[in-house]
Every structure is written in structure tokens, then in C-alpha cells.
Coordinates of all heavy atoms in Angstrom, one line a residue:
M1 N 0.8 -1.2 0.0 CA 0.0 0.0 0.0 C 0.9 1.3 0.0 O 0.6 2.2 -0.7 CB -0.9 0.0 1.2 CG -1.9 1.1 1.2 SD -3.0 1.0 -0.2 CE -4.5 1.7 0.5
E2 N 2.0 1.2 0.8 CA 2.9 2.3 0.8 C 3.5 2.6 -0.5 O 3.6 3.8 -0.9 CB 4.0 2.1 1.8 CG 4.9 3.3 2.1 CD 5.9 3.0 3.1 OE1 5.6 2.3 4.1 OE2 7.1 3.5 3.0
N3 N 3.8 1.6 -1.3 CA 4.4 1.8 -2.7 C 3.4 2.5 -3.6 O 3.7 3.3 -4.4 CB 4.8 0.5 -3.3 CG 6.1 0.0 -2.7 OD1 6.8 0.7 -2.1 ND2 6.4 -1.3 -2.9
M4 N 2.1 2.2 -3.4 CA 1.0 2.8 -4.2 C 1.0 4.3 -3.9 O 0.9 5.1 -4.8 CB -0.3 2.2 -4.0 CG -0.5 0.9 -4.7 SD -2.1 0.1 -4.4 CE -3.3 1.3 -4.1
V5 N 1.1 4.7 -2.7 CA 1.1 6.1 -2.3 C 2.3 6.8 -2.8 O 2.2 7.9 -3.4 CB 1.0 6.2 -0.7 CG1 1.2 7.7 -0.3 CG2 -0.3 5.7 -0.2
L6 N 3.5 6.1 -2.7 CA 4.7 6.7 -3.3 C 4.6 6.9 -4.8 O 5.0 7.9 -5.3 CB 5.9 5.9 -2.9 CG 6.3 5.8 -1.5 CD1 7.4 4.8 -1.2 CD2 6.8 7.2 -1.0
N7 N 4.1 5.9 -5.5 CA 3.9 6.0 -6.9 C 3.0 7.1 -7.3 O 3.2 7.9 -8.2 CB 3.4 4.7 -7.5 CG 4.5 3.6 -7.4 OD1 5.7 3.9 -7.4 ND2 4.0 2.3 -7.5
F8 N 1.9 7.2 -6.6 CA 0.9 8.3 -6.9 C 1.5 9.6 -6.6 O 1.3 10.5 -7.4 CB -0.4 8.1 -6.0 CG -1.4 9.1 -6.3 CD1 -2.2 9.0 -7.4 CD2 -1.7 10.1 -5.4 CE1 -3.2 9.9 -7.7 CE2 -2.6 11.1 -5.7 CZ -3.4 11.0 -6.8
N9 N 2.2 9.8 -5.6 CA 2.9 11.0 -5.3 C 3.9 11.4 -6.4 O 4.0 12.6 -6.8 CB 3.6 11.0 -3.9 CG 2.6 11.0 -2.8 OD1 1.4 11.4 -2.9 ND2 3.0 10.6 -1.6
Y10 N 4.6 10.4 -6.8 CA 5.6 10.6 -7.9 C 4.9 11.1 -9.2 O 5.3 12.1 -9.8 CB 6.4 9.4 -8.2 CG 7.3 9.5 -9.4 CD1 8.5 10.2 -9.4 CD2 6.8 9.0 -10.6 CE1 9.2 10.4 -10.5 CE2 7.6 9.1 -11.8 CZ 8.8 9.8 -11.7 OH 9.6 10.0 -12.8
L11 N 3.8 10.4 -9.5 CA 3.1 10.8 -10.7 C 2.5 12.2 -10.6 O 2.6 13.0 -11.6 CB 1.9 9.8 -11.0 CG 2.4 8.4 -11.4 CD1 1.2 7.5 -11.4 CD2 3.2 8.4 -12.7
Q12 N 2.0 12.6 -9.5 CA 1.5 13.9 -9.2 C 2.6 14.9 -9.4 O 2.5 16.0 -10.0 CB 0.8 14.1 -7.9 CG -0.6 13.5 -7.8 CD -1.2 13.8 -6.5 OE1 -0.6 13.8 -5.4 NE2 -2.5 14.2 -6.5
G13 N 3.8 14.6 -8.8 CA 4.9 15.5 -8.8 C 5.4 15.7 -10.3 O 6.0 16.8 -10.6
E14 N 5.2 14.7 -11.1 CA 5.7 14.8 -12.5 C 4.6 15.4 -13.4 O 4.7 15.4 -14.6 CB 6.1 13.5 -13.1 CG 7.3 12.9 -12.4 CD 8.6 13.8 -12.7 OE1 8.8 14.1 -13.8 OE2 9.3 14.0 -11.7
K15 N 3.4 15.8 -12.8 CA 2.3 16.4 -13.5 C 1.7 15.4 -14.5 O 1.2 15.8 -15.5 CB 2.7 17.7 -14.2 CG 3.4 18.7 -13.4 CD 2.4 19.5 -12.6 CE 3.1 20.7 -11.9 NZ 3.4 20.6 -10.6
I16 N 1.6 14.1 -14.1 CA 1.0 13.1 -14.9 C -0.4 12.9 -14.4 O -0.6 12.6 -13.2 CB 1.8 11.8 -14.8 CG1 3.2 12.0 -15.4 CG2 1.1 10.7 -15.5 CD1 4.2 10.9 -15.2
K17 N -1.4 13.0 -15.3 CA -2.8 12.9 -14.9 C -3.0 11.4 -14.5 O -2.7 10.5 -15.3 CB -3.7 13.3 -16.0 CG -5.1 13.2 -15.7 CD -6.0 13.7 -16.8 CE -7.4 13.6 -16.4 NZ -8.3 14.1 -17.5
V18 N -3.6 11.2 -13.4 CA -4.0 9.8 -12.9 C -5.5 9.7 -13.1 O -6.3 10.4 -12.5 CB -3.5 9.6 -11.5 CG1 -3.9 8.2 -11.0 CG2 -2.0 9.8 -11.3
M19 N -5.9 8.6 -13.9 CA -7.3 8.4 -14.1 C -7.7 7.3 -13.1 O -7.0 6.4 -12.7 CB -7.5 7.8 -15.5 CG -7.2 8.8 -16.6 SD -7.4 8.1 -18.3 CE -8.9 7.3 -18.2
A20 N -9.0 7.4 -12.7 CA -9.6 6.3 -11.8 C -9.5 5.1 -12.6 O -9.8 5.1 -13.8 CB -11.0 6.7 -11.4
H21 N -9.2 4.0 -12.0 CA -9.1 2.7 -12.8 C -10.3 1.8 -12.4 O -10.6 1.5 -11.3 CB -7.8 2.0 -12.4 CG -7.5 0.9 -13.3 ND1 -8.1 -0.3 -13.4 CD2 -6.6 0.9 -14.3 CE1 -7.6 -1.0 -14.3 NE2 -6.7 -0.4 -14.9
P22 N -11.0 1.4 -13.5 CA -12.2 0.6 -13.2 C -11.8 -0.8 -12.9 O -10.6 -1.2 -13.1 CB -12.9 0.6 -14.6 CG -11.8 0.9 -15.6 CD -10.8 1.8 -14.9
P23 N -12.7 -1.7 -12.4 CA -12.3 -3.1 -12.1 C -11.8 -3.8 -13.4 O -12.0 -3.3 -14.5 CB -13.7 -3.7 -11.7 CG -14.6 -2.6 -11.4 CD -14.1 -1.4 -12.2
Y24 N -11.1 -4.9 -13.2 CA -10.5 -5.6 -14.3 C -11.6 -6.0 -15.3 O -12.7 -6.5 -14.9 CB -9.8 -6.9 -13.9 CG -9.4 -7.7 -15.0 CD1 -8.3 -7.3 -15.8 CD2 -10.1 -8.8 -15.4 CE1 -7.9 -8.0 -16.9 CE2 -9.8 -9.5 -16.6 CZ -8.7 -9.1 -17.3 OH -8.3 -9.9 -18.4
S25 N -11.3 -5.9 -16.5 CA -12.2 -6.3 -17.6 C -11.4 -6.7 -18.8 O -10.5 -5.9 -19.2 CB -13.2 -5.2 -18.0 OG -13.9 -5.6 -19.2
P26 N -11.6 -7.8 -19.4 CA -10.8 -8.2 -20.6 C -11.0 -7.2 -21.7 O -10.2 -7.1 -22.7 CB -11.3 -9.6 -21.0 CG -12.6 -9.8 -20.3 CD -12.6 -8.8 -19.1
D27 N -12.1 -6.4 -21.7 CA -12.3 -5.4 -22.7 C -11.4 -4.2 -22.5 O -11.3 -3.3 -23.4 CB -13.8 -4.9 -22.6 CG -14.7 -6.0 -23.0 OD1 -14.4 -6.8 -23.9 OD2 -15.8 -6.0 -22.4
L28 N -10.7 -4.1 -21.4 CA -9.8 -3.0 -21.1 C -8.4 -3.3 -21.1 O -7.5 -2.5 -21.2 CB -10.2 -2.5 -19.7 CG -11.6 -2.0 -19.5 CD1 -11.8 -1.5 -18.1 CD2 -11.9 -0.8 -20.4
A29 N -8.0 -4.6 -21.1 CA -6.6 -5.0 -21.1 C -6.1 -5.1 -22.6 O -6.6 -5.9 -23.3 CB -6.4 -6.3 -20.4
P30 N -5.1 -4.2 -23.0 CA -4.7 -4.2 -24.4 C -4.2 -5.6 -24.8 O -4.4 -6.0 -26.0 CB -3.5 -3.2 -24.4 CG -3.8 -2.3 -23.3 CD -4.5 -3.2 -22.2
S31 N -3.6 -6.4 -23.9 CA -3.1 -7.7 -24.3 C -4.3 -8.6 -24.6 O -4.2 -9.5 -25.5 CB -2.3 -8.3 -23.2 OG -3.0 -8.3 -22.0
D32 N -5.4 -8.4 -24.0 CA -6.6 -9.2 -24.2 C -7.4 -8.8 -25.5 O -7.9 -9.6 -26.2 CB -7.6 -9.2 -23.1 CG -7.0 -10.0 -21.9 OD1 -6.1 -10.7 -22.0 OD2 -7.6 -9.8 -20.8
F33 N -7.5 -7.5 -25.7 CA -8.3 -7.1 -26.9 C -7.5 -6.9 -28.1 O -8.1 -6.6 -29.2 CB -9.2 -5.8 -26.5 CG -8.5 -4.5 -26.5 CD1 -8.1 -3.8 -27.6 CD2 -8.2 -3.9 -25.3 CE1 -7.5 -2.6 -27.5 CE2 -7.6 -2.7 -25.2 CZ -7.2 -2.0 -26.3
W34 N -6.2 -7.0 -28.1 CA -5.4 -6.8 -29.3 C -4.2 -7.8 -29.4 O -4.2 -8.5 -30.4 CB -4.9 -5.4 -29.4 CG -4.0 -5.1 -30.5 CD1 -4.4 -5.0 -31.8 CD2 -2.6 -4.9 -30.5 NE1 -3.2 -4.8 -32.6 CE2 -2.2 -4.7 -31.8 CE3 -1.7 -4.9 -29.4 CZ2 -0.8 -4.6 -32.1 CZ3 -0.4 -4.7 -29.8 CH2 0.1 -4.5 -31.1
L35 N -3.3 -7.7 -28.5 CA -2.0 -8.4 -28.7 C -2.2 -9.9 -28.7 O -1.6 -10.6 -29.6 CB -1.1 -8.0 -27.5 CG 0.3 -8.6 -27.7 CD1 1.0 -8.1 -29.0 CD2 1.2 -8.2 -26.5
F36 N -3.0 -10.5 -27.9 CA -3.1 -12.0 -27.9 C -3.7 -12.5 -29.2 O -3.2 -13.4 -29.8 CB -3.9 -12.5 -26.7 CG -3.2 -12.3 -25.4 CD1 -4.0 -12.3 -24.2 CD2 -1.9 -12.2 -25.3 CE1 -3.4 -12.1 -23.0 CE2 -1.2 -12.1 -24.0 CZ -2.0 -12.0 -22.9
N37 N -4.7 -11.8 -29.7 CA -5.3 -12.1 -31.0 C -4.3 -12.0 -32.1 O -4.2 -12.8 -33.0 CB -6.5 -11.3 -31.3 CG -7.7 -11.7 -30.4 OD1 -7.8 -12.8 -30.0 ND2 -8.6 -10.7 -30.2
Y38 N -3.5 -11.0 -32.1 CA -2.5 -10.7 -33.1 C -1.4 -11.9 -33.1 O -1.1 -12.4 -34.1 CB -1.8 -9.4 -32.8 CG -0.8 -8.9 -33.9 CD1 -1.2 -8.1 -34.9 CD2 0.5 -9.3 -33.8 CE1 -0.4 -7.7 -35.9 CE2 1.4 -8.9 -34.8 CZ 1.0 -8.1 -35.8 OH 1.8 -7.7 -36.8
L39 N -1.0 -12.3 -31.9 CA 0.0 -13.3 -31.8 C -0.6 -14.7 -32.1 O 0.2 -15.6 -32.5 CB 0.6 -13.3 -30.4 CG 1.5 -12.1 -30.1 CD1 2.0 -12.1 -28.6 CD2 2.7 -12.0 -31.0
K40 N -1.8 -15.0 -31.8 CA -2.4 -16.3 -31.9 C -2.5 -16.7 -33.4 O -2.7 -17.9 -33.7 CB -3.8 -16.4 -31.2 CG -3.7 -16.4 -29.7 CD -5.0 -16.8 -29.1 CE -6.0 -15.7 -29.3 NZ -7.2 -16.0 -28.5
R41 N -2.5 -15.8 -34.3 CA -2.7 -16.1 -35.7 C -1.9 -17.2 -36.2 O -2.3 -18.1 -37.0 CB -2.5 -14.9 -36.6 CG -3.6 -13.8 -36.4 CD -3.4 -12.7 -37.3 NE -2.1 -12.1 -37.0 CZ -1.6 -11.1 -37.6 NH1 -2.3 -10.5 -38.6 NH2 -0.4 -10.6 -37.4
G42 N -0.6 -17.2 -35.8 CA 0.3 -18.3 -36.4 C 0.8 -19.3 -35.4 O 1.8 -20.0 -35.7
L43 N 0.2 -19.4 -34.3 CA 0.7 -20.3 -33.2 C 0.7 -21.8 -33.6 O 1.5 -22.5 -33.2 CB -0.1 -20.2 -31.9 CG 0.0 -18.9 -31.2 CD1 -0.8 -18.9 -29.9 CD2 1.5 -18.6 -30.8
D44 N -0.2 -22.2 -34.5 CA -0.3 -23.6 -34.9 C 0.9 -24.0 -35.8 O 1.1 -25.2 -36.0 CB -1.6 -23.9 -35.5 CG -1.9 -23.1 -36.7 OD1 -1.2 -22.1 -37.0 OD2 -2.9 -23.4 -37.4
T45 N 1.7 -23.1 -36.2 CA 2.8 -23.4 -37.0 C 4.1 -23.8 -36.2 O 5.1 -24.2 -36.8 CB 3.2 -22.3 -38.0 OG1 3.5 -21.1 -37.2 CG2 2.0 -22.0 -38.9
Y46 N 4.0 -23.7 -34.9 CA 5.1 -24.0 -34.0 C 4.9 -25.3 -33.3 O 4.0 -25.4 -32.5 CB 5.4 -22.8 -33.1 CG 5.8 -21.6 -33.8 CD1 4.8 -20.7 -34.2 CD2 7.1 -21.4 -34.2 CE1 5.2 -19.5 -34.9 CE2 7.4 -20.3 -35.0 CZ 6.5 -19.3 -35.3 OH 6.8 -18.2 -36.1
P47 N 5.7 -26.3 -33.6 CA 5.4 -27.7 -33.1 C 5.7 -27.9 -31.6 O 5.2 -28.8 -31.0 CB 6.3 -28.6 -33.9 CG 7.5 -27.7 -34.3 CD 6.9 -26.3 -34.4
D48 N 6.5 -27.0 -31.0 CA 6.9 -27.2 -29.6 C 7.1 -25.9 -28.9 O 7.2 -24.8 -29.5 CB 8.2 -28.1 -29.4 CG 9.3 -27.5 -30.2 OD1 9.6 -26.3 -30.0 OD2 10.0 -28.2 -31.0
I49 N 7.2 -25.9 -27.6 CA 7.4 -24.7 -26.7 C 8.7 -24.0 -27.0 O 8.7 -22.8 -27.0 CB 7.2 -25.1 -25.2 CG1 7.1 -23.9 -24.4 CG2 8.4 -25.9 -24.7 CD1 5.7 -23.4 -24.3
T50 N 9.7 -24.7 -27.4 CA 11.0 -24.0 -27.6 C 10.9 -23.2 -28.9 O 11.4 -22.0 -28.8 CB 12.1 -25.1 -27.8 OG1 12.2 -25.9 -26.6 CG2 13.5 -24.5 -28.0
S51 N 10.4 -23.7 -29.9 CA 10.3 -22.9 -31.2 C 9.3 -21.7 -30.9 O 9.5 -20.6 -31.5 CB 9.8 -23.7 -32.4 OG 8.6 -24.3 -32.1
L52 N 8.3 -22.0 -30.2 CA 7.3 -20.9 -29.9 C 8.0 -19.8 -29.0 O 7.8 -18.6 -29.3 CB 6.1 -21.5 -29.1 CG 5.0 -20.5 -28.7 CD1 4.4 -19.9 -29.9 CD2 4.0 -21.2 -27.9
A53 N 8.8 -20.2 -28.1 CA 9.5 -19.2 -27.2 C 10.4 -18.4 -28.0 O 10.6 -17.2 -27.7 CB 10.2 -19.9 -26.1
K54 N 11.0 -18.9 -29.1 CA 12.0 -18.2 -29.9 C 11.2 -17.2 -30.8 O 11.7 -16.2 -31.2 CB 12.8 -19.1 -30.8 CG 13.8 -19.9 -30.0 CD 14.6 -20.8 -30.9 CE 15.6 -21.6 -30.1 NZ 16.3 -22.6 -30.9
M55 N 10.0 -17.6 -31.2 CA 9.2 -16.8 -32.1 C 8.6 -15.6 -31.5 O 8.6 -14.5 -32.1 CB 8.1 -17.7 -32.7 CG 7.1 -16.9 -33.6 SD 5.7 -15.9 -32.8 CE 4.8 -17.1 -31.9
L56 N 8.2 -15.7 -30.2 CA 7.5 -14.6 -29.6 C 8.2 -13.2 -29.6 O 7.7 -12.2 -30.0 CB 7.0 -15.0 -28.2 CG 5.8 -15.9 -28.2 CD1 5.5 -16.4 -26.8 CD2 4.6 -15.2 -28.8
P57 N 9.5 -13.2 -29.1 CA 10.2 -11.9 -29.1 C 10.4 -11.4 -30.5 O 10.2 -10.2 -30.7 CB 11.6 -12.3 -28.5 CG 11.4 -13.5 -27.7 CD 10.3 -14.3 -28.4
R58 N 10.7 -12.2 -31.5 CA 10.8 -11.8 -32.9 C 9.5 -11.2 -33.4 O 9.5 -10.2 -34.1 CB 11.3 -13.0 -33.7 CG 11.7 -12.7 -35.1 CD 12.4 -13.9 -35.8 NE 11.5 -15.1 -35.8 CZ 11.9 -16.2 -35.2 NH1 13.1 -16.4 -34.6 NH2 11.1 -17.3 -35.2
E59 N 8.4 -11.9 -33.1 CA 7.1 -11.4 -33.5 C 6.7 -10.1 -32.9 O 6.2 -9.2 -33.6 CB 6.1 -12.5 -33.2 CG 4.7 -12.3 -33.9 CD 4.8 -12.5 -35.4 OE1 5.7 -13.3 -35.9 OE2 4.0 -11.9 -36.1
L60 N 7.0 -10.0 -31.6 CA 6.7 -8.7 -30.9 C 7.5 -7.5 -31.5 O 7.0 -6.4 -31.7 CB 7.0 -8.8 -29.4 CG 6.0 -9.7 -28.7 CD1 6.5 -10.0 -27.3 CD2 4.6 -9.0 -28.6
R61 N 8.8 -7.8 -31.8 CA 9.6 -6.7 -32.4 C 9.1 -6.4 -33.9 O 9.4 -5.3 -34.3 CB 11.1 -7.1 -32.5 CG 11.7 -7.0 -31.1 CD 13.2 -7.2 -31.2 NE 13.6 -8.5 -31.7 CZ 13.8 -9.6 -31.0 NH1 13.7 -9.6 -29.7 NH2 14.2 -10.8 -31.5
S62 N 8.5 -7.3 -34.5 CA 8.1 -7.1 -35.9 C 6.8 -6.2 -36.0 O 6.4 -5.8 -37.1 CB 7.9 -8.4 -36.7 OG 6.6 -9.0 -36.3
I63 N 6.1 -6.1 -34.9 CA 4.8 -5.3 -34.9 C 5.2 -3.8 -35.1 O 6.0 -3.3 -34.3 CB 4.0 -5.5 -33.6 CG1 3.6 -7.0 -33.5 CG2 2.8 -4.6 -33.6 CD1 3.0 -7.3 -32.2
P64 N 4.7 -3.1 -36.1 CA 5.0 -1.7 -36.3 C 4.6 -0.8 -35.1 O 3.6 -1.1 -34.4 CB 4.2 -1.3 -37.5 CG 3.8 -2.6 -38.2 CD 3.7 -3.6 -37.1
V65 N 5.5 0.2 -34.8 CA 5.3 1.1 -33.7 C 3.9 1.7 -33.8 O 3.2 1.9 -32.7 CB 6.4 2.1 -33.6 CG1 6.0 3.2 -32.6 CG2 7.7 1.5 -33.3
H66 N 3.4 2.1 -35.0 CA 2.1 2.7 -35.1 C 1.0 1.8 -34.6 O -0.1 2.3 -34.2 CB 1.9 3.3 -36.5 CG 1.6 2.2 -37.5 ND1 2.6 1.6 -38.2 CD2 0.5 1.7 -37.9 CE1 2.1 0.7 -39.1 NE2 0.8 0.7 -38.9
E67 N 1.2 0.5 -34.7 CA 0.1 -0.4 -34.2 C 0.0 -0.3 -32.7 O -1.0 -0.4 -32.1 CB 0.4 -1.9 -34.6 CG 0.2 -2.1 -36.1 CD -1.3 -1.9 -36.5 OE1 -2.2 -2.2 -35.7 OE2 -1.5 -1.4 -37.7
Y68 N 1.2 -0.3 -32.0 CA 1.2 -0.1 -30.5 C 0.6 1.2 -30.2 O -0.2 1.3 -29.2 CB 2.6 -0.2 -30.0 CG 3.2 -1.6 -30.0 CD1 4.1 -2.0 -30.9 CD2 2.8 -2.5 -29.0 CE1 4.7 -3.3 -30.8 CE2 3.3 -3.8 -28.9 CZ 4.3 -4.2 -29.9 OH 4.8 -5.4 -29.8
Q69 N 0.9 2.3 -30.9 CA 0.4 3.6 -30.6 C -1.1 3.6 -30.8 O -1.9 4.2 -29.9 CB 1.0 4.7 -31.5 CG 2.5 4.9 -31.2 CD 3.2 5.7 -32.2 OE1 2.8 5.7 -33.4 NE2 4.2 6.5 -31.8
K70 N -1.6 3.0 -31.9 CA -3.0 3.0 -32.1 C -3.8 2.2 -31.0 O -4.8 2.6 -30.5 CB -3.3 2.3 -33.5 CG -4.7 2.3 -33.9 CD -4.9 1.8 -35.3 CE -4.4 0.4 -35.5 NZ -4.6 -0.2 -36.8
T71 N -3.2 1.1 -30.6 CA -3.7 0.3 -29.5 C -3.8 1.1 -28.2 O -4.8 1.1 -27.4 CB -2.9 -1.0 -29.3 OG1 -3.0 -1.7 -30.5 CG2 -3.5 -1.8 -28.2
F72 N -2.7 1.9 -27.9 CA -2.7 2.7 -26.7 C -3.8 3.7 -26.7 O -4.5 3.9 -25.7 CB -1.3 3.4 -26.5 CG -1.2 4.2 -25.3 CD1 -1.1 3.5 -24.0 CD2 -1.3 5.5 -25.3 CE1 -1.0 4.2 -22.8 CE2 -1.2 6.3 -24.1 CZ -1.0 5.6 -22.9
E73 N -4.0 4.4 -27.9 CA -5.1 5.3 -28.0 C -6.5 4.7 -27.8 O -7.3 5.3 -27.1 CB -5.0 6.0 -29.4 CG -3.8 6.9 -29.5 CD -3.5 7.4 -30.9 OE1 -4.2 7.0 -31.8 OE2 -2.4 8.0 -31.1
K74 N -6.7 3.5 -28.4 CA -7.9 2.8 -28.2 C -8.1 2.4 -26.7 O -9.2 2.4 -26.2 CB -7.9 1.5 -29.0 CG -8.1 1.7 -30.5 CD -8.2 0.4 -31.1 CE -8.2 0.5 -32.6 NZ -8.2 -0.9 -33.3
W75 N -7.0 2.0 -26.0 CA -7.1 1.7 -24.6 C -7.5 2.8 -23.8 O -8.4 2.7 -22.9 CB -5.7 1.2 -24.2 CG -5.6 0.8 -22.8 CD1 -6.2 -0.2 -22.1 CD2 -4.8 1.4 -21.8 NE1 -5.9 -0.3 -20.8 CE2 -5.0 0.7 -20.6 CE3 -3.9 2.5 -21.8 CZ2 -4.3 1.1 -19.4 CZ3 -3.2 2.8 -20.6 CH2 -3.5 2.1 -19.4
I76 N -7.0 4.0 -24.1 CA -7.4 5.2 -23.3 C -8.9 5.4 -23.5 O -9.6 5.7 -22.5 CB -6.7 6.5 -23.8 CG1 -5.2 6.4 -23.5 CG2 -7.3 7.7 -23.2 CD1 -4.8 6.3 -22.0
E77 N -9.4 5.3 -24.7 CA -10.9 5.5 -25.0 C -11.7 4.4 -24.2 O -12.7 4.7 -23.6 CB -11.2 5.4 -26.5 CG -10.6 6.6 -27.2 CD -11.1 7.9 -26.7 OE1 -12.3 8.1 -26.4 OE2 -10.2 8.8 -26.5
R78 N -11.2 3.2 -24.2 CA -11.9 2.1 -23.5 C -11.9 2.3 -22.0 O -12.8 2.0 -21.3 CB -11.2 0.7 -23.8 CG -11.5 0.2 -25.2 CD -10.7 -1.1 -25.4 NE -11.0 -1.6 -26.7 CZ -11.6 -2.7 -27.0 NH1 -12.1 -3.5 -26.0 NH2 -11.8 -3.1 -28.2
M79 N -10.8 2.9 -21.5 CA -10.7 3.2 -20.0 C -11.8 4.2 -19.6 O -12.2 4.2 -18.5 CB -9.3 3.6 -19.7 CG -8.3 2.6 -19.8 SD -8.4 1.3 -18.5 CE -7.9 2.3 -17.1
K80 N -12.1 5.1 -20.5 CA -13.0 6.2 -20.2 C -14.5 5.7 -20.1 O -15.3 6.2 -19.3 CB -12.9 7.3 -21.2 CG -11.7 8.1 -21.2 CD -11.6 9.1 -22.3 CE -10.3 9.9 -22.3 NZ -10.2 10.8 -23.4
L81 N -14.8 4.6 -20.9 CA -16.2 4.2 -21.0 C -16.7 3.7 -19.6 O -17.8 4.2 -19.2 CB -16.3 3.0 -22.0 CG -16.3 3.5 -23.5 CD1 -16.2 2.3 -24.4 CD2 -17.5 4.3 -23.8
P82 N -16.1 2.8 -18.9 CA -16.7 2.4 -17.6 C -16.7 3.5 -16.6 O -17.6 3.6 -15.7 CB -15.8 1.2 -17.2 CG -14.5 1.4 -17.9 CD -14.9 2.1 -19.2
I83 N -15.8 4.4 -16.7 CA -15.8 5.6 -15.8 C -17.0 6.5 -16.1 O -17.7 6.9 -15.2 CB -14.5 6.4 -15.9 CG1 -13.3 5.5 -15.4 CG2 -14.5 7.6 -15.1 CD1 -11.9 6.0 -15.7
E84 N -17.2 6.8 -17.4 CA -18.3 7.7 -17.8 C -19.6 7.0 -17.5 O -20.6 7.7 -17.3 CB -18.1 8.0 -19.3 CG -16.9 8.9 -19.6 CD -16.6 9.0 -21.1 OE1 -17.3 8.3 -21.9 OE2 -15.7 9.8 -21.4
H85 N -19.7 5.7 -17.6 CA -20.9 5.0 -17.4 C -21.1 4.4 -16.0 O -21.9 3.6 -15.7 CB -21.1 3.9 -18.4 CG -21.3 4.5 -19.8 ND1 -20.2 4.8 -20.6 CD2 -22.4 4.8 -20.5 CE1 -20.7 5.3 -21.8 NE2 -22.0 5.3 -21.7
H86 N -20.2 4.9 -15.1 CA -20.3 4.5 -13.7 C -20.3 3.0 -13.4 O -21.0 2.5 -12.6 CB -21.5 5.2 -13.0 CG -21.5 6.7 -13.2 ND1 -20.7 7.6 -12.6 CD2 -22.3 7.4 -14.1 CE1 -20.9 8.8 -13.0 NE2 -21.9 8.7 -13.9
G87 N -19.5 2.3 -14.2 CA -19.4 0.9 -14.1 C -20.5 0.1 -14.7 O -20.5 -1.2 -14.7
D88 N -21.5 0.7 -15.3 CA -22.5 0.0 -16.0 C -22.0 -0.7 -17.3 O -20.9 -0.4 -17.8 CB -23.7 1.0 -16.4 CG -24.5 1.4 -15.2 OD1 -24.4 0.8 -14.2 OD2 -25.1 2.5 -15.3
Y89 N -22.8 -1.6 -17.8 CA -22.4 -2.3 -19.0 C -22.1 -1.4 -20.1 O -22.8 -0.4 -20.4 CB -23.6 -3.2 -19.3 CG -23.4 -4.1 -20.6 CD1 -22.6 -5.2 -20.5 CD2 -24.0 -3.7 -21.8 CE1 -22.4 -6.0 -21.6 CE2 -23.9 -4.5 -22.9 CZ -23.1 -5.7 -22.8 OH -22.9 -6.4 -23.9
F90 N -21.0 -1.6 -20.8 CA -20.6 -0.7 -21.9 C -20.1 -1.5 -23.1 O -19.7 -0.8 -24.1 CB -19.5 0.2 -21.4 CG -18.2 -0.5 -21.0 CD1 -17.2 -0.7 -22.0 CD2 -18.0 -0.9 -19.7 CE1 -16.0 -1.3 -21.6 CE2 -16.8 -1.5 -19.4 CZ -15.9 -1.8 -20.3
E91 N -20.1 -2.8 -23.1 CA -19.5 -3.5 -24.2 C -20.2 -3.2 -25.6 O -19.5 -3.2 -26.6 CB -19.6 -5.0 -23.9 CG -18.8 -5.9 -25.0 CD -18.8 -7.3 -24.6 OE1 -19.1 -7.7 -23.5 OE2 -18.4 -8.1 -25.5
H92 N -21.4 -2.9 -25.5 CA -22.2 -2.6 -26.8 C -21.7 -1.3 -27.4 O -21.9 -1.0 -28.5 CB -23.7 -2.5 -26.5 CG -24.1 -1.4 -25.6 ND1 -23.8 -1.4 -24.2 CD2 -24.7 -0.2 -25.8 CE1 -24.2 -0.3 -23.7 NE2 -24.8 0.5 -24.6
L93 N -20.9 -0.5 -26.6 CA -20.4 0.8 -27.1 C -19.0 0.6 -27.8 O -18.5 1.6 -28.4 CB -20.2 1.8 -26.0 CG -21.5 2.1 -25.2 CD1 -21.2 2.9 -24.0 CD2 -22.5 2.8 -26.1
L94 N -18.4 -0.6 -27.7 CA -17.1 -0.8 -28.3 C -17.2 -1.0 -29.8 O -18.0 -1.5 -30.4 CB -16.4 -1.9 -27.7 CG -16.1 -1.7 -26.2 CD1 -15.6 -3.0 -25.6 CD2 -15.2 -0.6 -26.0

């Protein structure tokens, strides 16, 4: 708990806006709504865990920076929805 307070104080000191964070939702986690689907496309071509483990870092580096930026922007918009709707159902708005 003390680390959270220190982190919050640091962010405030750096003039970084802190948004209220809604409860966990797979609709809000970028890895769930974008990255995992992106990576799963070719998983069946790797016969074992070793070849898969070698592929993942290479695949992550091959994703264009603008895709990560676009996803971050979408994530910010998704984070606003449950806050604006006071935790009510919002999936139909995505």
C-alpha cells in the first residue's frame, strides 16, 4: 500500500494525470483485446514450446510502432467508458 502512495505522489509530482481505474475487464486490457489475438494467428505453425518461445520476441519486435500507438489510444478510450458509465455495462459501445 505504501508503494502505491509513493507511486501516486511521484506521478502527481511529474504532473502526470492519474485516471480512476475501473475493475478488471478483458475489454480493457490491451493484451486481451489486441495483442493476444495478433499473436495467436500463427501459433499452430510452431510444433513445440522451444520454437514458440523463440518466435514470440521476434514477432513482438516485428509489430510496427504505429500499431502499438493505435492500441494505446484505443485503450485510453476504452478506459473512459466504464468511468463515464459509472461501471454500467458498456461492451455494446465498443
Side-chain angles (χ1 to χ4, degrees):
M1 185 65 147
E2 184 178 325
N3 283 342
M4 283 179 30
V5 171
L6 291 174
N7 290 338
F8 183 75
N9 290 340
Y10 172 79
L11 294 173
Q12 280 187 320
E14 294 296 314
K15 308 281 191 258
I16 297 172
K17 184 177 178 182
V18 178
M19 293 175 50
H21 196 285
Y24 172 76
S25 168
D27 296 323
L28 299 176
S31 55
D32 289 347
F33 75 76
W34 174 73
L35 186 59
F36 291 157
N37 288 332
Y38 188 92
L39 292 174
K40 286 192 293 188
R41 292 182 301 180
L43 290 182
D44 57 351
T45 60
Y46 297 92
D48 56 50
I49 191 84
T50 303
S51 61
L52 180 62
K54 288 179 183 176
M55 174 279 298
L56 284 173
R58 189 171 54 242
E59 194 66 29
L60 287 169
R61 284 190 299 272
S62 76
I63 299 171
V65 171
H66 72 270
E67 289 296 327
Y68 285 105
Q69 290 169 331
K70 184 172 65 176
T71 300
F72 183 75
E73 290 165 7
K74 286 182 187 176
W75 178 64
I76 295 294
E77 293 305 312
R78 285 174 182 248
M79 290 290 287
K80 290 177 183 177
L81 285 171
I83 295 167
E84 291 168 355
H85 292 86
H86 308 286
D88 289 342
Y89 181 75
F90 64 90
E91 189 173 348
H92 65 288
L93 301 171
L94 297 175

